[in-house]
Amino acid sequence: DVKVTQSSRYLVKRTGEKVFLECVQDMDHENMFWYRQDPGLGLRLIYFSYDVKMKEKGDIPEGYSVSREKKERFSLILESASTNQTSMYLCEQGYNEQFFGPGTRLTVL
Amino acid sequence: RKEVEQDPGPFNVPEGATVAFNCTYSNSASQSFFWYRQDCRKEPKLLMSVYSSGNEDGRFTAQLNRASQYISLLIRDSKLSDSATYLCVVYSGGYQKVTFGTGTKLQVIP
């Protein structure tokens, strides 16, 4: 079974805090993605990576950065969290078929 | 026009009913199509792929109409456990060209 794990299911942070969301996959796959999901807006791509140390901006990269130091790990970083970054964050790996992690529900107060 | 469009619903149907969802896409070069199911507060999971020739898996049938640029999902004999949000996913080639619909919510009522 493909496993994509995320470091936290629920997270509460304060405005201005630096936030790290970790994602680990066990498929030895090159492609990894970070999305956020909001009601009525669906899944929106933040960043993706198709190799170690490689990263590409998705549709809504503003306010986020990423790190891919190892193939299995793709981290999403909120440099200074804001309330409009309250959302469900989903990590995904795959090429054709997509496998999602369980999601992190982040609340920024 | 959105790249991938779905009716958000909700579709409220009685148990045993047949229900169908459509999903339209704008990029005629789109290559692969999928239906995902997402339960409340859970991650999306692959339900089935959609082929030009159609794809059937038990009570679920997926169809692709390239001429009209839409895919469909038909659920027969609806069960309570089918209640979920169904996302269509369109893959247009390249790493960033996976586009998700916003989902159609299905509620099967006893």
Side-chain angles (χ1 to χ4, degrees):
Chain A
D1 252 6
V2 175
K3 266 267 168 50
V4 182
T5 57
Q6 294 183 229
S7 48
S8 307
R9 291 301 302 272
Y10 299 94
L11 210 52
V12 180
K13 295 290 181 181
R14 296 206 175 273
T15 301
E17 279 194 78
K18 191 168 186 175
V19 182
F20 291 87
L21 303 181
E22 298 275 312
C23 174
V24 179
Q25 53 108 349
D26 67 355
M27 275 288 284
D28 197 34
H29 213 285
E30 286 81 16
N31 304 339
M32 295 186 77
F33 306 80
W34 273 106
Y35 293 87
R36 62 179 282 177
Q37 187 176 31
D38 301 286
L41 296 175
L43 281 150
R44 292 181 292 166
L45 181 63
I46 305 171
Y47 265 97
F48 63 99
S49 167
Y50 51 88
D51 205 350
V52 176
K53 305 241 187 242
M54 302 296 286
K55 59 185 179 185
E56 295 286 342
K57 293 179 180 178
D59 298 321
I60 51 161
E62 296 78 20
Y64 304 94
S65 62
V66 290
S67 171
R68 184 104 181 258
E69 296 296 318
K70 292 184 178 180
K71 194 175 188 179
E72 68 270 18
R73 191 177 296 268
F74 190 35
S75 303
L76 180 69
I77 303 156
L78 287 66
E79 295 290 342
S80 177
S82 62
T83 54
N84 63 12
Q85 291 179 309
T86 292
S87 186
M88 168 72 104
Y89 289 88
L90 287 156
C91 173
E92 181 209 350
Q93 68 94 8
Y95 187 68
N96 230 1
E97 184 178 346
Q98 318 294 317
F99 297 96
F100 288 88
T104 297
R105 190 165 291 278
L106 171 68
T107 302
V108 182
L109 302 174
Chain B
R1 183 185 170 188
K2 285 185 183 176
E3 284 190 60
V4 177
E5 290 199 70
Q6 292 183 254
D7 182 340
F11 284 58
N12 297 313
V13 301
E15 267 187 293
T18 295
V19 62
F21 314 130
N22 280 346
C23 168
T24 59
Y25 61 93
S26 60
N27 185 351
S28 58
S30 298
Q31 299 169 359
S32 306
F33 308 87
F34 306 89
W35 282 103
Y36 276 70
R37 172 195 168 125
Q38 186 173 24
D39 293 298
C40 189
R41 297 187 173 273
K42 297 283 182 72
E43 73 274 23
K45 291 186 178 175
L46 179 66
L47 178 66
M48 58 199 305
S49 304
V50 187
Y51 306 122
S52 297
S53 55
N55 187 19
E56 188 171 319
D57 183 4
R59 298 181 293 109
F60 297 82
T61 301
Q63 298 273 5
L64 166 63
N65 185 318
R66 282 197 183 273
S68 301
Q69 294 184 204
Y70 73 88
I71 63 172
S72 63
L73 178 68
L74 181 81
I75 306 175
R76 289 181 297 278
D77 188 24
S78 300
K79 313 287 185 196
L80 295 175
S81 57
D82 294 334
S83 298
T85 296
Y86 292 84
L87 303 170
C88 76
V89 181
V90 176
Y91 174 71
S92 301
Y95 296 100
Q96 61 190 114
K97 289 299 184 183
V98 176
T99 307
F100 291 83
T102 52
T104 297
K105 186 170 183 179
L106 171 66
Q107 187 70 44
V108 181
I109 304 161

